[in-house]
């Protein structure tokens, strides 16, 4: 009973900040009494992103160069232009940093983006369900012997310690919320004719302006 209570003392909070297509995924982990067993270890969150949401690998690389975040994407090649119905799931291993304002707490943030969905019949919002992440601990220099850990198959190195994979352990925990809901704006099917007409008119107008500028300022030999 004491071990079960200690495991349940681990809390995970997942939040989606901002509105629209471009959001920030904020993860917080409170290890509670288990925090004393993770000295010198790395804490990470492994989360599955459904096809309706993705991480921009170029944006992530820029953030990692600035030491603002650290994450591993699986797969590491992502089509950022693909719509939701042509995309696949994405696995993210997000390394977490200690929260200076809370003992035994860790947090991390990651920019995520909603994909375009197919037009809907009667709703201007598509729902993308984001499950609670799995909490992982990696101790490259020492093992963990608590009943709340179990070995996890993760092919990723400990952050800043070694470039080769080491043993990760999954932590039994209680999520504050089982899932988060992302609302992505979508178009309505009945507006398709209007969108096509407006798009055609804008295309013709812009093409005419470009052609006029070329004829006026262009140099032809």
């Amino acid at each position: 009973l004491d071990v079960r209570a200690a495991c349940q003392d681990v809390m995970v909070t997942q939040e989606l900040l901002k509105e629209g297509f471009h959001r920030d995924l904020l993860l917080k982990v409170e290890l509670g009494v288990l925090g004393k067993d993770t000295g010198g270890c790395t804490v990470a969150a492994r989360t599955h992103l459904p096809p309706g949401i993705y991480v921009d690998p170029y944006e992530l690389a820029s953030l990692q160069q600035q030491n603002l975040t650290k994450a591993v994407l699986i797969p590491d090649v992502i089509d950022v232009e693909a719509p939701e119905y042509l995309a696949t799931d994405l696995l993210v291993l997000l390394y977490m940093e200690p929260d200076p304002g809370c003992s035994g707490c860790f947090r991390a943030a990651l920019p995520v983006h909603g994909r375009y969905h197919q037009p809907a019949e009667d709703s201007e919002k598509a729902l993308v369900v984001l499950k609670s992440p799995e909490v992982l601990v990696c101790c490259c220099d020492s093992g963990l012997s608590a009943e709340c850990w179990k070995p996890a198959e993760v092919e990723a190195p400990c952050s800043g310690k070694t470039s080769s994979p080491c043993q990760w352990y999954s932590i039994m925990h209680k999520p504050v919320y089982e899932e988060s809901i992302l609302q992505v704006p979508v178009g309505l099917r009945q507006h398709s004719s209007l969108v096509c007409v407006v798009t055609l008119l804008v295309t013709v107008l812009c093409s005419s302006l470009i052609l006029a500028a070329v004829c006026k300022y262009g140099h032809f030999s």
Side-chain angles (χ1 to χ4, degrees):
L1 293 179
D2 293 339
V3 170
R4 185 177 304 172
C7 298
Q8 293 178 348
D9 191 45
V10 178
M11 302 293 290
V12 178
T13 304
Q14 177 177 259
E15 297 180 74
L16 284 167
L17 308 179
K18 302 179 181 178
E19 298 292 336
F21 283 93
H22 308 290
R23 313 290 288 270
D24 285 335
L25 177 62
L26 177 62
L27 297 176
K28 300 178 182 178
V29 175
E30 299 180 25
L31 294 180
V33 297
L34 298 180
K36 64 180 184 295
D37 295 330
T38 58
C41 300
T42 299
V43 179
R46 180 166 63 173
T47 183
H48 288 269
L49 300 184
I53 190 172
Y54 70 97
V55 176
D56 187 335
Y58 304 103
E59 181 182 23
L60 177 61
S62 176
L63 292 174
Q64 294 192 136
Q65 288 179 353
Q66 303 174 55
N67 293 323
L68 296 178
T69 189
K70 181 173 176 58
V72 176
L73 303 180
I74 304 173
D76 56 357
V77 178
I78 301 172
D79 185 356
V80 299
E81 301 294 338
E84 178 270 341
Y85 49 89
L86 295 179
T88 57
D89 292 355
L90 174 65
L91 181 64
V92 180
L93 182 67
L94 181 60
Y95 294 88
M96 311 191 75
E97 296 291 336
D99 189 344
C102 174
S103 177
C105 299
F106 297 80
R107 61 184 292 154
L110 183 69
V112 295
H113 308 275
R115 292 188 183 274
Y116 290 108
H117 288 61
Q118 288 184 331
E121 294 290 346
D122 54 3
S123 175
E124 296 183 356
K125 300 287 185 180
L127 302 182
V128 179
V129 179
L130 192 61
K131 298 293 185 180
S132 180
E134 178 185 8
V135 180
L136 301 173
V137 173
C138 176
C139 297
C140 296
D141 301 326
S142 61
L144 295 172
S145 58
E147 290 81 354
C148 296
W149 326 107
K150 65 177 181 179
E153 296 183 3
V154 180
E155 292 294 330
C158 288
S159 178
K161 291 186 177 182
T162 177
S163 58
S164 59
C166 61
Q167 179 63 62
W168 288 85
Y169 292 86
S170 177
I171 302 178
M172 296 174 57
H173 69 278
K174 177 181 178 182
V176 176
Y177 304 105
E178 292 291 341
E179 58 187 29
S180 299
I181 304 296
L182 172 66
Q183 294 185 345
V184 179
V186 297
L188 297 178
R189 293 186 185 274
Q190 56 265 35
H191 295 163
S192 58
S193 299
L194 177 61
V195 171
C196 290
V197 171
V198 172
T199 302
L200 178 60
L201 292 176
V202 171
T203 302
V204 171
L205 175 61
C206 293
S207 300
S208 301
L209 293 174
I210 293 174
L211 181 59
V214 170
C215 293
K216 183 176 182 179
Y217 300 105
H219 299 282
F220 303 96
S221 56

